[in-house]
Amino acid sequence: MCVVTAVAGGERAGCLVGFASQCSIRPPRFVVWLSKANHTYRVARAAQHLAVHLLTRDQRDLAEHFGGRTGDDADKFAWPDWREGPAGAVVLEDVAAWFVGTVLHRVDGGDHVGHVLDPVGWGEGRPGPLLRLSDAATIEAGHPAD
């Protein structure tokens, strides 16, 4: 599980993502899949960069914050602490690891769109085991899947 943040048109957005993977070794590439139903997808359509954040298992509250609320009616960035990262991306503080990637391609996969990223900046912070799908399974999504 990871949190993806996007910035475009003066708007910030972020959501909990369960579909993400490295998709190339050379060159390094990563893909994150965003639901067409959520606010983050609408901002990410115009974003040139996305930030991907890994959470530790003890950060379930942060996962619930980004996964259980919608940016349509809540400012998800009033909490937690964040800073401007590479290319103006929103980088969350105190996460296990993060990277910012340039969006190279968008691939329609049905109810989600894959954003293929070229990493341009990264960092790490909080040690500990990473949050898994089973740790977040009971989080009620801020948006239905469709």
Side-chain angles (χ1 to χ4, degrees), residues 4-116:
V4 173
T5 58
V7 178
E11 193 172 6
R12 294 184 301 259
C15 65
L16 185 64
V17 170
F19 305 141
S21 177
Q22 180 177 341
C23 59
S24 175
I25 296 170
R26 282 189 207 92
R29 297 289 185 263
F30 196 87
V31 64
V32 294
W33 294 87
L34 301 178
S35 169
K36 292 177 183 178
N38 82 35
H39 180 251
T40 303
Y41 167 70
R42 292 190 299 277
V43 175
R45 284 187 308 194
Q48 294 179 358
H49 297 85
L50 299 177
V52 179
H53 308 82
L54 296 178
L55 308 180
T56 58
R57 290 171 108 180
D58 64 348
Q59 292 182 298
R60 190 180 186 287
D61 59 337
L62 191 56
E64 191 159 359
H65 178 73
F66 279 96
R69 304 173 74 193
T70 174
D72 291 326
D73 56 20
D75 178 6
K76 293 184 182 182
F77 297 95
W79 174 86
D81 292 336
W82 61 274
R83 64 183 169 79
E84 187 174 305
V90 170
V91 173
L92 303 177
E93 296 286 354
D94 197 33
V95 295
W98 61 270
F99 78 90
V100 171
T102 302
V103 178
L104 297 178
H105 310 285
R106 290 178 177 87
V107 181
D108 190 322
D111 59 3
H112 283 65
V113 172
H115 295 70
V116 178

